[in-house]
C-alpha cells in the first residue's frame, strides 16, 4: 500500500480524494498496489467531512511522515505551492500537480529537484483538464519530431465565445453567464486575457520540443475585444472566432502565440464548443493527431491527477521526469518576426478613399462583409500573410490617413 | 544501446526502420539509450536496400542472438507471426506489434507468456494506426471506470463512405477508387465486412474493461449493403452513414457491435472523414474524451510501434503487461438482447397498407423521406429503441404482409 497526501482541498483536491475512494478496487488493480489518502492539508476546517480525521493544518505532519510517498499539490499559484513542492521533492516524495502556473514558472527547477532526489514530478492535469495530452505527447508520440501544436486550451473563453456565436450574447453578458455557471472565476482576468492558455501552451511546447519554453516570452492577447460584429464577419467567411494557443518549431527557434483567431469550418477546432478543449499535434511520422475532451472540471481534472499517481505507484522506485533543457538566451522568436494573415476592420470617413489607402499599404487584400448585418462607416478585409511588424507598420500608416477614423479590430487568421 | 530485430519488411516494418534511423537522436534522448536495428527478417531479397546487410531469412539468427532485446513483429496474420512471437517471448525478448489479428485472437496467451518471462508484449499500433489510444486508455484514463467506447476504427471503409457521400459515387466505384489509391487491399473483405474494426474494438474493450473480449462474439456487419439512397435518407436526418464499432460495459456484461450506423451531425464522429479514425471514450470521472488521427499508413503506424519500443527501452528490465482476465463463459451479451433504434426502408406494393402494417408491428415510428431524390414504391421510418430480437421478429412479420415487397435495408441509429 502506498500512502499519499493531498495539499489543498479545493475543487480538484477534493475530486482526487473522491476518485481514489470510489474507484479504489480498479485503481489498485492498475497500480498493482492499494493507494490510500493518509493526510489532507488545508487551512480551513471541514468538521462534517467524512474524512475529517485526515485533515491537518501542519504541513510538517506530511513532510515528516516517511510513510507518505506521494504528495498531490492542488493548492495552485506559486506561493505556498512552490515551497511545499520543493520541500516534498527534497524529502524524497514524488509530487503530482494540476498547477499550470507553477509548472510554467518553475518547471525546470522542480524537474531537476525531482531527478536529483530520485523521485517524480508529474503534471498531466495542468493542461487540458482530463484530456490525456502530456503523456501522449511525451510517450505515445515519442517516435515523432513534433513540429506544431495548436489548441483551444481554455474552457472559460471557449464557453464565452460559443455563447456569443450561438446565443448572440455580447462579451460582457456571456462572461456574466459563465461566472454564474461556475465556468469563470470572480476575477476572470487569467482566463479572458489569455494568461491561462499561455501557460498551457508553454508547458506543452516544453514537452514537445524538449526544451523549456518560457511563457513570459509568448505574445498573449485575450478575447475582451471580440464583439458580436466580429462574429458576424467570421460567419461570412464560414469561420468562427476562437482563442487559439499555438506553437511551432522552426529552424531558428519557436514561434508561439495566444490570440483570438478566425478559424475556418474546415479546421477540426472549429466545432469545439462550450467548455471543451482540443489540441492538434503535428509530427513528422504521424502527420496530425487530435485530442478532445473536457478542459476543466472537478472530476476530469482530478482523474488526470490520479492517473499520474497510479503511474508513479506502478513504477515505484523509478524516476522518469521530463527533460527540459534550459537554453541560453531566448528560444522564442520575437513576435514581430512571425507571420500571419490579419482580418482588419476599419472605421472610415470616406469608404472609397479608405479602400484605396488599404490597397496602397497592404497591397491586394480580400474584402469581407459581415453576415446578415450591415455595419456602417466600416470596411473590412483580410491581408496576405506577412510579418507582424510589417502589418503593424501598415496599420500605423493607415491610421494617419484622413479617410480612416480608427482601427476597429484586428484578428489573426488561423491557417 | 539496445538492439532490436524487425520481422517482416512490409509497409509498417520498413517504416519502423526508417523512423528509427531518421529520428535516432531524439529517440535516444527519450529512451535514455540508443536504439539500433540489428536484424531484419524477410523471405524476400532487397539487394538495393541500404540496409541489405541486416536482412536474414533465418529467424534463429534473431532468436539465438542474446544481444537482441526487442523483436518488432510486423508480419501480420496468425501463422508465422504467432509462432515467432511465442518463440521471442519464451527467449526473454520483448515483442512489439501492429498485428491486431494476432492480439485479438491470442492476446491473453501472449500477454501471460510475456509476464512469465519478465518481458513485455505491446501493441499500441494495432488500433488506430498512429493515434495514441491504447496507452491513454490504460494509463492516462486509469483513474476512470470506463463504460463505453465508440469509434470509427477502419480507414478504408470511412474513405469509401466519405466518397459516397461527398462525390455521389456508389459503393463499387468508391471501393475501386480506394483500391487504386492504396487505401484498400486487392481482397478488401476484412475491411468492408467489418472484421478489421471488430478486432480493434475487441482489443480496446479488453483493455478498457480489464477482461478479454473475444472478437468472435461480437456481432459484425460491413458496409457492402450501403447505397447512395441510404446516404440521401441519412442526409434528410442531418446525419451520415459511418461504420461504427462500439462497446459498452453494463451490469450483465459487455454490449458490443460493429455495424453501419446513422450518425447525427451533433455527434463528433460525424465529421471524421476520409481515412481518418476517431475514438470516443466515456468514463465516470472524465465524462468524454475523443482521440482523432490517421488510422493507418506507413509512418503513422510505424511511429506507434517505435513509441512502444521506446517505452520498453526506457523502463528496461521491467515487465508491465496488460492484465486480460479471461472470464469463464461469454462476457459479451447476446446480440438479440441488446437495444437500438432502426432505420428501415421497405419496398411496398401498397404504400398506405404498408404504413398501417408498420405501425401495427413497430408502434409509433418516425417516417422519413430521402433528401433531394424521390424513391418510388418505398416507405422509410425510424423505430423506437428496442431489442434486436424484437426488431427482427417485427421485420419478419412485415415481410409476410402483402403490402410489403421486401426490406430494402436496415441501418442502426447511433444514439
Amino acid at each position: 500500500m502506498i500512502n499519499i497526501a493531498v495539499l489543498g482541498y479545493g475543487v480538484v483536491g477534493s475530486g482526487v480524494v473522491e476518485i481514489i475512494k470510489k474507484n479504489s478496487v480498479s485503481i489498485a488493480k492498475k497500480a498493482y498496489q492499494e493507494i490510500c489518502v493518509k493526510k489532507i492539508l488545508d487551512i480551513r476546517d471541514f468538521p462534517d467531512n467524512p474524512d475529517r480525521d485526515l485533515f491537518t493544518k501542519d504541513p510538517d505532519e506530511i513532510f515528516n511522515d516517511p510513510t507518505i510517498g506521494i504528495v498531490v499539490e492542488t493548492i495552485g499559484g506559486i506561493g505556498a505551492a512552490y515551497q511545499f513542492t520543493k520541500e516534498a521533492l527534497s524529502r524524497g516524495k514524488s509530487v503530482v500537480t494540476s498547477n499550470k502556473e507553477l509548472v510554467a514558472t518553475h518547471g525546470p527547477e522542480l524537474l531537476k529537484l525531482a531527478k536529483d532526489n530520485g523521485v517524480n514530478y508529474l503534471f498531466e492535469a495542468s493542461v487540458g483538464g482530463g484530456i490525456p495530452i502530456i503523456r501522449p505527447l511525451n510517450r505515445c508520440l515519442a517516435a515523432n519530431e513534433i513540429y506544431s501544436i495548436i489548441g483551444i486550451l481554455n474552457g472559460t473563453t471557449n464557453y464565452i465565445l460559443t455563447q456569443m456565436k450561438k446565443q448572440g450574447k455580447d462579451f460582457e453578458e456571456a462572461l456574466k453567464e459563465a461566472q454564474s455557471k461556475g465556468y469563470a472565476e470572480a476575477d476572470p482576468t487569467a482566463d479572458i486575457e489569455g494568461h491561462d492558455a499561455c501557460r498551457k501552451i508553454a508547458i506543452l511546447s516544453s514537452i514537445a520540443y524538449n526544451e523549456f519554453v518560457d511563457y513570459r516570452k509568448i505574445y498573449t492577447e485575450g478575447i475582451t475585444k471580440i464583439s458580436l460584429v466580429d462574429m458576424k464577419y467570421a460567419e461570412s467567411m464560414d469561420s468562427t472566432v476562437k482563442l487559439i494557443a499555438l506553437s511551432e518549431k522552426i529552424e531558428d527557434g519557436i514561434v508561439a502565440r495566444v490570440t483570438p483567431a478566425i478559424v475556418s469550418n474546415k479546421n477540426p477546432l472549429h466545432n469545439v464548443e462550450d467548455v471543451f478543449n482540443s489540441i492538434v499535434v503535428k509530427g513528422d511520422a504521424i502527420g496530425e493527431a487530435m485530442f478532445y475532451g473536457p478542459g476543466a472540471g472537478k472530476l476530469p481534472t482530478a482523474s488526470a491527477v490520479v492517473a499520474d499517481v497510479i503511474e508513479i505507484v506502478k513504477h515505484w522506485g523509478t524516476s522518469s521526469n521530463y527533460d527540459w533543457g534550459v537554453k541560453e538566451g531566448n528560444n522564442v522568436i520575437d513576435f514581430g518576426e512571425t507571420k500571419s494573415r490579419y482580418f482588419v476592420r476599419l472605421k472610415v470617413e470616406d469608404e472609397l478613399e479608405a479602400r484605396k489607402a488599404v490597397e496602397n499599404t497592404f497591397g491586394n487584400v480580400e474584402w469581407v462583409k459581415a453576415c446578415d448585418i450591415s455595419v456602417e462607416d466600416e470596411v473590412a478585409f483580410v491581408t496576405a500573410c506577412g510579418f507582424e511588424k510589417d502589418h503593424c507598420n501598415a496599420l500605423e500608416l493607415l491610421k494617419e490617413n484622413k479617410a480612416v477614423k480608427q482601427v476597429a479590430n484586428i484578428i489573426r487568421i488561423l491557417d
Side-chain angles (χ1 to χ4, degrees), chain A:
Chain A
M1 192 179 71
I2 299 285
N3 287 320
I4 74 167
V6 175
L7 313 185
Y9 195 70
V11 173
V12 179
S14 62
V16 168
V17 176
E18 181 180 331
I19 289 176
I20 287 182
K21 286 170 72 174
K22 185 171 163 240
N23 295 346
S24 61
V25 177
S26 69
I27 288 174
K29 198 168 173 191
K30 286 171 192 162
Y32 306 144
Q33 288 199 59
E34 220 177 298
I35 294 171
C36 173
V37 179
K38 191 172 178 190
K39 288 281 172 202
I40 303 169
L41 180 78
D42 205 291
I43 46 169
R44 295 166 294 175
D45 288 306
F46 296 87
D48 301 326
N49 192 294
D51 297 315
R52 57 187 166 273
D53 296 343
L54 307 181
F55 281 86
T56 174
K57 289 177 174 139
D58 177 7
D60 283 335
E61 272 195 38
I62 290 162
F63 299 133
N64 291 335
D65 184 339
T67 72
I68 290 174
I70 301 172
V71 169
V72 169
E73 183 268 296
T74 45
I75 300 169
I78 51 173
Y82 180 40
Q83 296 309 321
F84 290 162
T85 300
K86 282 198 290 188
E87 188 66 27
L89 294 171
S90 305
R91 304 278 194 114
K93 299 179 198 302
S94 286
V95 175
V96 173
T97 191
S98 58
N99 187 338
K100 57 206 153 268
E101 203 178 346
L102 184 56
V103 175
T105 310
H106 297 292
E109 178 197 354
L110 297 172
L111 285 166
K112 186 172 181 305
L113 193 58
K115 193 179 172 192
D116 290 347
N117 284 279
V119 291
N120 296 282
Y121 184 51
L122 296 183
F123 40 83
E124 175 67 65
S126 66
V127 183
I131 310 173
I133 177 65
I134 289 185
R135 190 168 298 114
L137 252 189
N138 184 256
R139 301 282 185 87
C140 310
L141 301 177
N144 286 260
E145 299 280 355
I146 292 168
Y147 58 82
S148 137
I149 303 169
I150 306 173
I152 293 173
L153 298 178
N154 180 271
T156 307
T157 46
N158 204 48
Y159 180 82
I160 292 171
L161 293 171
T162 305
Q163 287 296 307
M164 290 173 71
K165 180 189 174 190
K166 295 216 151 170
Q167 311 294 333
K169 291 178 180 163
D170 66 18
F171 172 77
E172 290 298 336
E173 201 184 347
L175 169 60
K176 270 187 197 134
E177 193 188 308
Q179 286 172 318
S180 77
K181 290 202 167 180
Y183 296 154
E185 292 177 49
D187 176 0
T189 313
D191 291 321
I192 63 176
E193 295 295 357
H195 305 152
D196 175 81
C198 172
R199 288 180 187 117
K200 291 169 175 170
I201 191 73
I203 294 172
L204 292 181
S205 304
S206 300
I207 287 173
Y209 312 135
N210 243 313
E211 59 185 269
F212 181 58
V213 177
D214 189 335
Y215 77 90
R216 287 160 290 207
K217 304 285 167 58
I218 297 176
Y219 176 82
T220 299
E221 192 180 301
I223 63 162
T224 54
K225 283 188 216 151
I226 302 300
S227 69
L228 288 175
V229 176
D230 295 318
M231 287 282 173
K232 286 294 176 187
Y233 277 107
E235 200 179 329
S236 78
M237 292 182 262
D238 293 328
S239 299
T240 190
V241 181
K242 295 285 184 192
L243 183 67
I244 296 292
L246 62 82
S247 78
E248 195 184 347
K249 175 103 189 222
I250 61 172
E251 209 171 321
D252 303 334
I254 291 158
V255 170
R257 68 169 185 252
V258 177
T259 68
I262 290 177
V263 179
S264 147
N265 65 8
K266 296 204 172 99
N267 190 304
L269 295 176
H270 179 277
N271 295 322
V272 177
E273 297 192 329
D274 298 324
V275 293
F276 284 87
N277 281 196
S278 187
I279 301 127
V280 175
V281 179
K282 293 181 187 170
D284 65 346
I286 193 171
E288 185 174 310
M290 186 170 96
F291 303 82
Y292 167 93
K298 176 178 176 166
L299 293 182
T301 309
S303 81
V305 171
V306 177
D308 275 347
V309 171
I310 293 172
E311 193 69 14
I312 293 172
V313 174
K314 196 167 177 175
H315 299 287
W316 194 248
T318 68
S319 162
S320 152
N321 293 287
Y322 302 110
D323 184 12
W324 286 358
V326 180
K327 288 214 171 165
E328 288 291 318
N330 190 1
N331 53 357
V332 178
I333 289 170
D334 187 70
F335 191 58
E337 305 296 330
T338 67
K339 282 180 157 184
S340 65
R341 289 195 296 148
Y342 271 26
F343 161 75
V344 181
R345 282 169 52 206
L346 296 180
K347 287 291 171 195
V348 296
E349 292 284 355
D350 180 328
E351 192 176 318
L352 204 67
E353 284 302 314
R355 285 179 190 267
K356 272 189 209 161
V358 165
E359 293 188 333
N360 280 337
T361 44
F362 278 100
N364 272 338
V365 297
E366 185 189 329
W367 298 100
V368 225
K369 287 201 167 187
C371 195
D372 298 335
I373 56 165
S374 78
V375 189
E376 287 191 7
D377 304 330
E378 188 166 307
V379 298
F381 58 94
V382 174
T383 71
C385 188
F387 284 108
E388 286 286 336
K389 60 180 181 187
D390 295 338
H391 285 337
C392 286
N393 290 340
L395 285 175
E396 286 307 316
L397 272 179
L398 275 182
K399 278 186 204 165
E400 285 166 18
N401 191 299
K402 277 184 206 155
V404 175
K405 274 196 282 193
Q406 67 171 121
V407 178
N409 209 356
I410 63 154
I411 307 176
R412 286 163 190 84
I413 311 277
L414 179 63
D415 281 311

